Amino acid sequence: MDMQAPIEEVKGVGPKTAELLKRVNLKTVGDLLYCLPRIYENYQTTVAIEDLKPGKVIVKGRISDLRVMRTSRRQLTITEGTISDDTGSLRTVWFNQPYRAKQFDAKREYYFTGKYELKNGRYVLQSPSAQLVQDVEKDGEAAGFQPIYGQKSTIKPQLFQKIINGMRDQFAEIPDLLPFTEHVPKYISPGARSEALYLSHFPEDPADAEAGRRYLAYEEIFELILAAKLNKLETLRLNAMPLKFEQKLTQTIVKSLPFQLTGAQRKATWEILQELGSKKPMNRMLQGDVGSGKTIVAAIATAQAAASGAQTALLAPTAILANQHFESFVKLFQGLQKQNPGMKLPSIALLTGATKCKNQLKKQIRTGEIDLVIGTHALLTDSTQFHRLGFCIIDEQHRFGVGQRQKLLLKSPEHTAPHLLSMTATPIPRSLQLTVFGDLDVSLLNELPPGRQPIVTKILPELAQADDLYPAMRELLRKNQQIYWICQLIEDKNQSQATPVKRQAKKLAEIFSNYQVGMLHGKMPVEEKDQIMDDFAEGKIDILVSTTVVEVGVNVPNANMIVIQDAENYGLAQLHQLRGRVGRGDQPAQCFLLTTSEGRPSKRLKEMEKSTDGFYLAEVDLKLRGPGEIYGAMQHGELNLQVANLSDTETITAASRHAAEFAKHPEDMVKYPELAMRIRKYQQLTTLN
Ligand code: ADP
Ligand code: MG
């Protein structure tokens, strides 16, 4: 079977159906076969209504008395109906699915699958999915274990099922895909692919489905890793500008700093400076917990780049952060010049949405007058071009999608790649380093600058704030220290969008009338934001009521308390980042997590109270949420793995070894044209350089 054959060649697919399928990106026979069932339903577990027990259930019956009701509050719709079989009847409800009222034919029988549970004192079947009995049962034979396909826009799952059924006889002709090298798991054998696809589409029992899934998950992970590995090889073929290790310059800078570098900073700096000297592009990630001092490491590296005549671009996720970096770089280089009069310093510029005279600045970047440009997304626009971009730094790299990162990297001179340093406080688990990042090079800052006091974290019910929180705030303010107060930005169409922030700022201004209370949120004009941030950094504002715009990177060492309202609404990584805004100087710091819920605090919040170690918290987060939601590409929905699970380390380890073996001879790829084609999408996704 030719997996690349156009879908028109599939039996039962006429021109009209073909058009529909193409619209959802199903263009080849292979595309169809890899459209796997969304779930499996075991209809053998169907129960009579009189025997129902609470939990997930399947019942077979007819539905009547359908009606839609609207609640006055929040425009919620409720669709109700009665399902009956020979033994009895039950009530079913759907929320916000008004189309359900018109979906059913009262004369026909359906399988209903859903949760049977107690709601307001009555047992109901909650939001069941439904399948026509006629669609599920084959030739009058009772339904057994069935795949359920997802609806793809206008294509009904039933149509899809019919097409796949029509191909059933040809599954045996599906060719193998993976290379068979020496070390492959037993279940990766000739014929395994065709069998796995068959079992996935036509399983007889859960074990069949699982066997199919296992092979296909392996295949998916293998492809992802191989793509990353080939990308890495490809990058090695590109040339980068060697940025010569300037030992003397480095020593001079280090001496001019107002502090001593930590051991971890020295080591990371050394690793980076060494690698920048290579003709091959660096692709390194600087991982260090919040406050570990990543910025200075980056700054030293930019000085080396400038000394070699290369331009550097530093990309930051928010204007506030870009501004702050710009100011600290200027300060650093001014300090350097003061101690070393006559020294030639890199010329620095700031480029954000708010930058005035953008065109002129862009001209200076294009002609190479500017050595180092620090900016936001404005750096990525087509009109921002460089003369000799040799080094890119991406701060808080997980905030950027792959496409954005690539846009920046492509601004280097033709046939070269810039060196890349990405920085993050969010540790990337080993499994992801291997898969998505293709065995990434990492420099680690596993040490905080000396003198940092631990941040004391406390969960506090919001009702207790007057008694337990305000006195603590007063005491801190008396010491001339500053406070962040974080509010959620609740989008409310009827009101000005920043209401909670405004309300809270007003309230605090009344309570702490001797102090300056400022307000900051993303919807404010940029100039105003900058002004507020500057005022806070200079100590003109005592309490800054803000949304999470201050979440990443912001550095005001005199702020030693952060209060996070509605703390239960944030993820662990985000809470840790927010808390990282304080404790950046040598004073003790406090973090209050305010909760509105009456029950016991969530596991997340308790972990926050217990630990300030970002690496530990990332692991907890990984366990609580799974890796899929957390990192880079996945966060941006670009990496849609169908079957594989990125916390399945066993499969990852096996596939990784297999891919490494194969990648030793990349020239063999020509013998695997289908594989080469399939991994192209991953190659675009995982390339970082
Ligand atoms: P992050 O890793 O979170 O980006 P920053 O680079 O913003 O951290 O550094 C946090 C603060 O620590 C800054 O005020 C910085 O000047 C200071 N800092 C960095 N390195 C040291 C050091 N070795 N000793 C003392 N303070 C340092
Ligand atoms: Mg930072």
Side-chain angles (χ1 to χ4, degrees), residues 198-403:
Y198 186 87
L199 291 178
S200 297
H201 287 289
F202 310 107
E204 284 186 0
D205 51 37
D208 281 357
E210 171 51 27
R213 194 206 61 78
R214 183 168 72 153
Y215 169 87
L216 291 170
Y218 182 93
E219 194 179 274
E220 204 166 30
I221 297 263
F222 177 87
E223 288 172 349
L224 186 58
I225 296 178
L226 184 62
K229 286 205 186 301
L230 293 179
N231 272 341
K232 216 175 166 185
L233 289 175
E234 207 126 290
T235 310
L236 287 179
R237 241 176 277 146
L238 287 173
N239 284 321
M241 278 178 236
L243 311 175
K244 204 169 132 267
F245 187 10
E246 304 275 355
Q247 199 172 355
K248 227 154 139 213
L249 173 68
T250 309
Q251 280 167 350
T252 315
I253 300 175
V254 171
K255 247 190 271 160
S256 80
L257 295 175
F259 46 70
Q260 286 223 319
L261 290 182
T262 64
Q265 281 172 319
R266 278 172 196 280
K267 179 159 178 278
T269 307
W270 195 84
E271 282 167 353
I272 292 163
L273 295 184
Q274 285 292 320
E275 207 179 345
L276 286 176
S278 157
K279 276 203 277 293
K280 293 296 160 198
M282 171 175 90
N283 181 10
R284 185 167 280 275
M285 179 171 282
L286 180 59
Q287 262 188 50
D289 207 346
V290 282
S292 60
K294 296 183 283 293
T295 320
I296 186 67
V297 176
I300 297 172
T302 61
Q304 172 164 321
S308 289
Q311 286 177 296
T312 299
L314 193 164
L315 180 64
T318 64
I320 291 177
L321 198 49
N323 259 318
Q324 181 189 291
H325 281 329
F326 177 71
E327 278 164 25
S328 41
F329 275 61
V330 168
K331 217 164 98 194
L332 170 78
F333 290 131
Q334 277 172 352
L336 192 60
Q337 194 160 46
K338 223 187 235 157
Q339 295 179 27
N340 305 274
M343 186 171 177
K344 190 181 169 295
L345 292 174
S347 52
I348 318 182
L350 176 70
L351 179 62
T352 68
T355 302
K356 306 239 162 61
C357 307
K358 267 198 207 82
N359 288 337
Q360 193 183 340
L361 175 58
K362 284 182 181 172
K363 201 171 140 213
Q364 289 175 311
I365 298 173
R366 196 164 52 237
T367 57
E369 249 173 274
I370 304 281
D371 297 311
L372 164 61
V373 48
I374 297 174
T376 52
H377 299 81
L379 282 179
L380 305 178
T381 54
D382 290 337
S383 61
T384 311
Q385 286 169 11
F386 290 80
H387 180 57
R388 267 169 70 78
L389 179 64
F391 185 24
C392 293
I393 303 171
I394 303 183
D395 193 18
E396 310 289 350
Q397 71 87 29
H398 59 285
R399 286 301 193 92
F400 295 95
V402 180

Side-chain angles (χ1 to χ4, degrees), residues 435-508:
T435 47
V436 186
F437 295 96
D439 216 355
L440 189 67
D441 296 319
V442 175
S443 290
L444 202 58
L445 296 186
N446 51 2
E447 182 183 355
L448 289 180
R452 293 279 164 83
Q453 313 254 350
I455 306 169
V456 177
T457 304
K458 236 176 148 170
I459 303 171
L460 202 66
E462 205 168 304
L463 290 171
Q465 54 183 329
D467 291 339
D468 293 347
L469 178 58
Y470 296 160
M473 288 172 70
R474 279 222 173 77
E475 199 189 316
L476 186 115
L477 291 167
R478 259 200 301 274
K479 287 190 273 182
N480 279 330
Q481 296 181 14
Q482 295 159 278
I483 300 173
Y484 291 100
W485 185 293
I486 307 298
C487 292
Q488 277 220 307
L489 184 75
I490 301 160
E491 304 260 343
D492 189 338
K493 285 199 192 75
N494 301 325
Q495 295 180 30
S496 136
Q497 302 208 312
T499 323
V501 184
K502 253 188 221 156
R503 214 185 298 131
Q504 190 60 38
K506 195 160 160 250
K507 185 172 160 193
L508 289 173

Side-chain angles (χ1 to χ4, degrees), residues 34 176-179 193 215-231 434-436 639-644 651 655-656 658-659 662 669 672-684 686:
Y34 275 88
D176 286 322
L177 177 75
L178 299 180
R193 181 198 197 194
Y215 169 87
L216 291 170
Y218 182 93
E219 194 179 274
E220 204 166 30
I221 297 263
F222 177 87
E223 288 172 349
L224 186 58
I225 296 178
L226 184 62
K229 286 205 186 301
L230 293 179
N231 272 341
L434 271 176
T435 47
V436 186
L639 182 68
N640 283 323
L641 291 180
Q642 254 214 108
V643 205
T651 305
S656 169
H658 185 181
F662 180 67
M669 202 67 213
Y672 298 88
E674 195 197 346
L675 182 63
M677 204 213 58
R678 285 175 58 88
I679 67 173
R680 209 162 295 148
K681 67 172 180 193
Y682 293 128
Q683 277 192 285
Q684 282 162 8
T686 56

Side-chain angles (χ1 to χ4, degrees), residues 602-641:
S602 65
K603 174 126 180 28
R604 256 202 327 258
L605 295 189
K606 281 202 293 226
E607 291 287 357
M608 279 291 292
E609 215 174 27
K610 225 168 63 190
S611 171
T612 51
D613 177 348
F615 286 71
Y616 167 78
L617 291 173
E619 255 169 52
V620 174
D621 207 17
L622 190 66
K623 279 202 198 101
L624 292 178
R625 277 201 296 169
E629 294 195 31
I630 303 179
Y631 300 94
M634 283 134 284
Q635 209 171 37
H636 294 262
E638 293 168 55
L639 182 68
N640 283 323
L641 291 180

